Amino acid sequence: MDDTVLLTGAGGYVGGAILDGLDDDYDWRLLYHNPPPKEPDHPYMVGEITEPPDAREACEGVGAVIHLAGDPRPDAPWDSVLENNIHGTKVMFDAAVEAGVERFVYASSNHAVGHFETERTPDLYQPEDEFRLDGTELPRPGNFYGVSKAAGETLGRYYHDEHDLSVCCIRIGNLTEGHPPIDYDRGQAMWLSYPDCAHLHACALEADYDYEVVYGISDNDRKYYSIERAKEVLGYDPQDNSAEWEGEEKVV
Amino acid sequence: MDDTVLLTGAGGYVGGAILDGLDDDYDWRLLYHNPPPKEPDHPYMVGEITEPPDAREACEGVGAVIHLAGDPRPDAPWDSVLENNIHGTKVMFDAAVEAGVERFVYASSNHAVGHFETERTPDLYQPEDEFRLDGTELPRPGNFYGVSKAAGETLGRYYHDEHDLSVCCIRIGNLTEGHPPIDYDRGQAMWLSYPDCAHLHACALEADYDYEVVYGISDNDRKYYSIERAKEVLGYDPQDNSAEWEGEEKVV
């Protein structure tokens, strides 16, 4: 039973990418915020991550949590990210600790460091630019959503230090299904393909680590997020690269 | 009128140290959470930092804010620090931006990095130990209070980047009036004397900077917080050192 992996925010697009790639690899338990439009292939529940009883029920008998749930809108208002993203993540950590969960994979975001871009745009989107963020830098959120994701990372650090569960924060880039964003240098620089997204989360479920902050992008020629740490600690081995695409066609 | 400095949390002990040292140096406006026990020497109001109308009234016509208010208890429960420290700080930043405040000095705390100590204790309290935190490291809070202070720092980063006000986060050590803590290596390592506390805040009101995270301790022989950044950017020139004391007596 401890092999069960709880996936919160299962109805979102990151959850979709993970289930697409890892459907048969784990005993999933899915937590939805709203009733799913079609019957899921795995055991599931509908509940609020901000409600401790729901969070406890979701975590019961679980070995690992992938926590994606929250308000995903980059322009989400403060009150919503304060409640859903910051408080909700704290409630999930509490429930995970109480249930004896051993690892907690947390969906952070590129928005936690969005303001690093402002002063370097657009040079850093070019393939030859060598600027890299590596996850050791202090956050520079570009919006309240990013503030909330940075706060979730700090909560993860606290719960790791205090309760010894492994915590991996993944600053997810620009996830798109199929081809990378078209005519959008920035989106191509932080592109994360669906298969690489699933693989990266599998790595975070399998590898041995304490507390990590890594970037979640494919191995794009254009990049300003380093994926070295993810490769080194998690064994991340991305297969996609936005430079291999022209529009909707893979050309390499 | 823009020379007015708003001091929130004026009734607390950090506020007391600042007013002790800088009473005549600024046109103060004091914000109290509870009615002050005796009539203050400066214009004041009583209000809630979590209430936008109170925050706006407090910031009106103000050139700088020293924001100390919040739940100061290291063991404060999550709900209180979420509301008073994280949300309250956001409300104060909003009010400051709306009022055209140019600089915002934020009372962060050693608790934002409390868990760095756990694995190095007690070596790092010794004068010969060379380990230093310098403010560029990611937070490792030791409690929810510390989580909230780290979140306040991130909010400061966001408001600086987004609205261009100068923000200085001071990770305040162990402030005591008169002598340093007795028979307490840790407290002596992070001692901040009342005069040095006032001087450091004056530096943060006067110096030219964008966004800073500095440690607020005296120039103690024992230390694991670097004060180099505060010296370099703010012109901090601390006069006290816990090593110069034996018990309640200054011996150097």
Side-chain angles (χ1 to χ4, degrees):
Chain A
M1 186 58 169
D2 274 353
D3 291 339
T4 299
V5 178
L6 171 65
L7 183 70
T8 76
Y13 74 124
V14 179
I18 292 171
L19 290 173
D20 259 13
L22 308 176
D23 195 47
D24 299 329
D25 298 353
Y26 297 94
D27 292 330
W28 295 104
R29 178 183 301 160
L30 310 181
L31 177 64
Y32 289 86
H33 185 232
N34 297 307
K38 69 181 191 70
E39 186 71 13
D41 297 331
H42 304 279
Y44 75 97
M45 59 178 279
V46 177
E48 300 280 346
I49 56 166
T50 52
E51 293 296 331
D54 287 4
R56 278 195 292 266
E57 185 183 342
C59 286
E60 203 182 316
V62 156
V65 173
I66 297 179
H67 177 48
L68 310 175
D71 190 328
R73 297 171 296 169
D75 62 348
W78 170 252
D79 288 350
S80 175
V81 298
L82 182 72
E83 173 69 9
N84 295 302
N85 299 11
I86 301 179
H87 179 59
T89 296
K90 188 267 184 187
V91 171
M92 286 304 307
F93 270 117
D94 278 341
V97 166
E98 193 176 318
V101 165
E102 290 172 7
R103 66 177 64 214
F104 194 106
V105 182
Y106 170 65
S108 184
S109 167
N110 66 82
H111 291 280
V113 292
H115 261 301
F116 276 103
E117 292 181 47
T118 313
E119 62 200 33
R120 296 178 177 272
T121 301
D123 289 348
L124 81 175
Y125 305 146
Q126 302 315 311
E128 63 277 12
D129 193 274
E130 293 185 357
F131 176 73
R132 296 286 183 276
L133 299 174
D134 66 7
T136 62
E137 60 280 334
L138 289 174
R140 291 185 63 175
N143 42 46
F144 289 127
Y145 171 75
V147 169
S148 75
K149 288 296 173 179
E153 293 179 2
T154 306
L155 279 164
R157 178 82 244 192
Y158 170 74
Y159 277 87
H160 167 69
D161 283 336
E162 194 74 16
H163 299 287
D164 206 30
L165 75 173
S166 297
V167 176
C168 183
C169 305
I170 302 179
R171 292 181 176 164
I172 296 172
N174 192 337
L175 179 70
T176 61
E177 192 166 10
H179 60 83
I182 297 174
D183 291 335
Y184 179 35
D185 291 356
R186 180 176 174 277
Q188 290 172 12
M190 61 165 77
W191 185 47
L192 178 63
S193 72
Y194 263 45
D196 284 342
C197 178
H199 163 63
L200 178 53
H201 283 83
C203 291
L205 288 175
E206 302 297 334
D208 190 32
Y209 54 84
D210 294 320
Y211 174 81
E212 293 292 333
V213 178
V214 299
Y215 283 98
I217 60 171
S218 290
D219 192 12
N220 309 312
D221 284 358
R222 301 180 194 273
K223 64 165 86 66
Y224 50 98
Y225 298 153
S226 171
I227 54 176
E228 294 309 306
R229 185 75 188 169
K231 287 180 175 179
E232 186 185 319
V233 173
L234 306 181
Y236 179 49
D237 182 23
Q239 299 301 307
D240 289 307
N241 177 350
S242 56
E244 296 176 346
W245 293 74
E246 281 179 13
E248 300 184 16
E249 298 298 320
K250 191 166 181 190
V251 292
V252 176
Chain B
M1 186 61 169
D2 274 353
D3 291 340
T4 299
V5 178
L6 170 66
L7 184 71
T8 77
Y13 74 124
V14 178
I18 291 170
L19 291 174
D20 259 13
L22 307 176
D23 196 47
D24 299 330
D25 298 354
Y26 296 94
D27 291 329
W28 294 104
R29 179 183 301 161
L30 310 180
L31 177 63
Y32 288 87
H33 185 233
N34 297 307
K38 70 182 190 72
E39 186 71 12
D41 297 331
H42 303 279
Y44 76 97
M45 58 177 280
V46 177
E48 300 280 346
I49 57 164
T50 53
E51 294 295 331
D54 288 4
R56 278 196 290 267
E57 184 184 342
C59 286
E60 203 182 316
V62 155
V65 172
I66 296 178
H67 177 48
L68 311 174
D71 190 328
R73 297 171 295 167
D75 63 347
W78 171 250
D79 289 349
S80 176
V81 298
L82 183 71
E83 172 70 9
N84 295 302
N85 298 12
I86 300 179
H87 179 59
T89 296
K90 189 267 183 186
V91 171
M92 286 305 305
F93 270 118
D94 278 340
V97 165
E98 194 176 318
V101 165
E102 289 172 6
R103 66 178 63 214
F104 195 104
V105 182
Y106 171 64
S108 184
S109 166
N110 65 84
H111 291 279
V113 291
H115 260 301
F116 277 102
E117 292 181 47
T118 312
E119 61 200 34
R120 295 176 178 274
T121 302
D123 290 348
L124 81 177
Y125 306 144
Q126 303 314 313
E128 64 276 12
D129 192 273
E130 293 184 358
F131 176 75
R132 295 283 183 278
L133 299 174
D134 66 7
T136 62
E137 60 280 332
L138 289 173
R140 291 185 63 176
N143 43 46
F144 290 126
Y145 171 75
V147 170
S148 75
K149 288 296 174 179
E153 293 179 2
T154 306
L155 280 165
R157 180 80 244 193
Y158 170 74
Y159 278 87
H160 166 69
D161 283 336
E162 196 73 16
H163 299 287
D164 206 30
L165 74 172
S166 297
V167 176
C168 183
C169 305
I170 302 177
R171 292 180 177 166
I172 296 171
N174 192 338
L175 179 70
T176 60
E177 192 165 12
H179 62 82
I182 296 173
D183 292 335
Y184 180 35
D185 290 355
R186 181 176 174 277
Q188 289 172 11
M190 60 165 78
W191 186 47
L192 178 62
S193 72
Y194 263 45
D196 284 342
C197 179
H199 162 64
L200 178 55
H201 283 83
C203 291
L205 289 175
E206 302 297 334
D208 190 30
Y209 54 85
D210 293 320
Y211 174 80
E212 294 292 333
V213 178
V214 300
Y215 284 97
I217 60 171
S218 290
D219 192 12
N220 308 312
D221 285 357
R222 301 181 195 272
K223 63 164 85 70
Y224 50 96
Y225 298 153
S226 171
I227 53 176
E228 294 309 307
R229 186 75 188 168
K231 287 181 175 178
E232 186 184 318
V233 174
L234 306 181
Y236 180 49
D237 182 23
Q239 299 300 307
D240 289 307
N241 177 350
S242 57
E244 295 176 345
W245 294 73
E246 282 179 12
E248 300 184 15
E249 299 296 322
K250 192 166 180 188
V251 293
V252 176

